[in-house]
Amino acid sequence: MRFRPGALFVHLLLLLGGLIMAFPFYWMLATSLKSPQEALQAKPIWVPERMKPSNWLKAARLGDSPLWGGLAPGRSVELVFPGKEGPPPRALIPRTPGAFFDPRAEGTRVEVVYREGAWRVRLTNTTEEAFPSLPLVVLWPKEVPLQAPLPPDAIRSQGEHWRLEWVNAVPGALGYLFHNYLEAWHAAPWGRYFFNSFFTALTQVAVGLFLAALAAFALARIPFPGKEAVFVLILATMMVPGEVLLIPNYVLLARLGWLDTYYALIVPWLASVFGIFLLRQFYLSLPQDLFDAARIDGAGYLTQLFRIALPLSLPGLVSYGIFTFLGAYNALLWPLIVTQSPEMRTVQLGLQAFVSEAGSDYGALMAASTFVVLPVILGYFFAQRQFIQGIARSGLK
């Protein structure tokens, strides 16, 4: 095979473009695994401590379960800090901010002893309930060299001590790696949010496909006076920005009493001009002989649509379905306007749980973003072939 420098340059250029396109996704994944201090650090952290396998082995020894950790009633865990004997460190279980009573802080016995060349911090659960996680703060003298049993999630200077903080001192290997994912999942009713998003999006896809197929077939295959003018008029509605229609649509839904219901999330978006245009292009590309033969056999327009046009336009239907699903699943402004109760919120609104006036929890926010975007990525790979065929046949870019 002859070496062609031009082809090599093109491949390297495409590889570089692919890496640039994939970088935001890697940064989201990396941030979802960072500790709070790593996520807020100005200097970029390319490989968080939680991505290092050596730390997984250390975390697996902390907690009752090697995978998910935790501390059962009456059980103890010991954190070993190798080093010379000197001023003793202090250890405490911080109380949850804003809580009047925290069983983990009140019911954990903390003992610090020096034995066999190491400082040992022993934590004992004295309550009757299991702790899935246990935060820990250790004040370590600055003059004593530090060897932590597990990289702390935050290190701060506090007078003559280093303040070492762990969000969970009994994580287990997977609990350590996916700590932000666990925190994000328990921070909001994601099961309800996912149901609302999928129900809204799938209903829009199913009903929208049916309505768009009917309109597109009429504009492509049924002769009637003024057909081109009707098509141009429909296309002209695409020139109206969606934001202009927000207030009229909101007023209409308020008068119908549909606010904070599934009707408000679904009905205004069932008819799609884009879907009509896309499917019409497919129907126009089909041979006229097929429909002539069907008419000779006595087939009506609905029979031609459902038995000839729809099976042959599968790539276009899949493409429109994917576009509709993505638009409904990723919608933020409209659900924010027409819903008030948490039971009607969607996954995009659920991400707001990690943004507050005191700042953002970027680790949990990126973890929540990861499992919100994951169904979309899986759906794309599942329908990738039909999606590419649909784009190619319709000429869309």
Side-chain angles (χ1 to χ4, degrees):
M1 180 181 294
R2 190 175 63 179
F3 176 73
R4 293 185 300 176
L8 177 62
F9 175 76
V10 171
H11 282 80
L12 290 177
L13 191 63
L14 291 175
L15 180 61
L16 178 62
L19 293 176
I20 293 175
M21 294 292 292
F23 176 75
F25 188 69
Y26 168 76
W27 192 253
M28 181 181 69
L29 290 177
T31 305
S32 71
L33 299 176
K34 290 178 181 178
S35 65
Q37 192 174 51
E38 288 178 328
L40 294 174
Q41 195 163 320
K43 181 181 178 181
I45 304 295
W46 303 107
V47 182
E49 292 290 337
R50 288 177 180 157
M51 291 180 66
K52 299 177 180 176
S54 59
N55 291 332
W56 303 348
L57 298 177
K58 297 176 183 176
R61 303 188 188 100
L62 300 175
D64 290 338
S65 166
L67 294 181
W68 297 105
L71 198 61
R75 299 279 295 177
S76 299
V77 63
E78 190 173 78
L79 283 77
V80 181
F81 295 76
K84 297 180 179 179
E85 188 172 9
R90 295 164 52 195
L92 57 96
I93 307 298
R95 179 175 293 180
T96 303
F100 293 102
F101 176 77
D102 189 338
R104 297 179 301 180
E106 311 295 338
T108 302
R109 185 172 66 246
V110 181
E111 302 168 280
V112 180
V113 297
Y114 186 82
R115 188 174 67 247
E116 299 175 356
W119 285 102
R120 300 171 185 272
V121 177
R122 189 175 186 82
L123 309 174
T124 303
N125 182 358
T126 61
T127 68
E128 298 297 327
E129 63 176 298
F131 298 152
S133 64
L134 186 63
L136 176 65
V137 172
V138 173
L139 299 178
W140 188 265
K142 290 183 177 178
E143 64 268 26
V144 180
L146 172 63
Q147 295 185 50
L150 187 67
D153 296 313
I155 302 179
R156 297 180 176 86
S157 178
Q158 182 172 323
E160 298 178 351
H161 295 82
W162 292 113
R163 180 184 174 91
L164 315 176
E165 299 178 2
W166 288 269
V167 294
N168 186 9
V170 288
L174 296 181
Y176 175 71
L177 179 62
F178 298 112
H179 173 78
N180 288 328
Y181 288 85
L182 296 174
E183 291 293 314
W185 185 259
H186 291 101
W190 287 103
R192 181 71 184 187
Y193 292 165
F194 272 108
F195 172 79
N196 290 339
S197 291
F198 276 103
F199 178 73
T200 301
L202 293 177
T203 304
Q204 287 188 29
V205 170
V207 181
L209 276 175
F210 179 72
L211 297 178
L214 291 177
F217 185 81
L219 292 171
R221 291 297 175 184
I222 300 177
F224 61 88
K227 185 171 71 173
E228 295 301 324
V230 172
F231 179 63
V232 172
L233 183 62
I234 293 176
L235 282 184
T237 61
M238 295 183 69
M239 309 304 169
V240 180
E243 290 76 8
V244 175
L245 303 175
L246 283 179
I247 294 178
N249 285 338
Y250 180 86
V251 173
L252 176 61
L253 293 176
R255 292 181 178 178
L256 291 172
W258 285 1
L259 292 180
D260 206 27
T261 66
Y262 288 116
Y263 297 116
L265 291 172
I266 296 173
V267 173
W269 308 104
L270 290 181
S272 169
V273 177
F274 171 73
I276 295 172
F277 170 76
L278 181 66
L279 294 181
R280 177 182 176 273
Q281 299 304 109
F282 269 94
Y283 297 152
L284 288 176
S285 67
L286 299 178
Q288 179 63 32
D289 295 344
L290 291 174
F291 300 95
D292 292 340
R295 276 202 300 272
I296 292 174
D297 291 338
Y301 287 125
L302 287 179
T303 303
Q304 296 175 38
L305 170 62
F306 289 107
R307 302 191 65 175
I308 299 177
L310 285 183
L312 293 177
S313 61
L314 183 61
L317 296 174
V318 173
S319 299
Y320 172 60
I322 291 176
F323 281 126
T324 304
F325 181 85
L326 291 179
Y329 187 81
N330 293 325
L332 173 64
L333 182 59
W334 183 251
L336 181 64
I337 292 175
V338 299
T339 62
Q340 291 86 35
S341 62
E343 291 77 14
M344 295 305 301
R345 296 284 174 151
T346 59
V347 290
Q348 303 301 332
L349 298 180
L351 297 178
Q352 291 184 322
F354 308 101
V355 181
S356 65
E357 296 179 355
S360 300
D361 186 351
Y362 290 106
L365 178 61
M366 291 299 106
S369 300
T370 301
F371 60 67
V372 165
V373 79
L374 193 59
V376 177
I377 296 176
L378 295 177
Y380 172 76
F381 283 112
F382 180 74
Q384 182 182 17
R385 183 178 178 183
Q386 286 77 12
F387 180 71
I388 294 175
Q389 287 180 355
I391 296 297
R393 292 188 60 182
S394 65
L396 292 178
K397 294 182 179 178

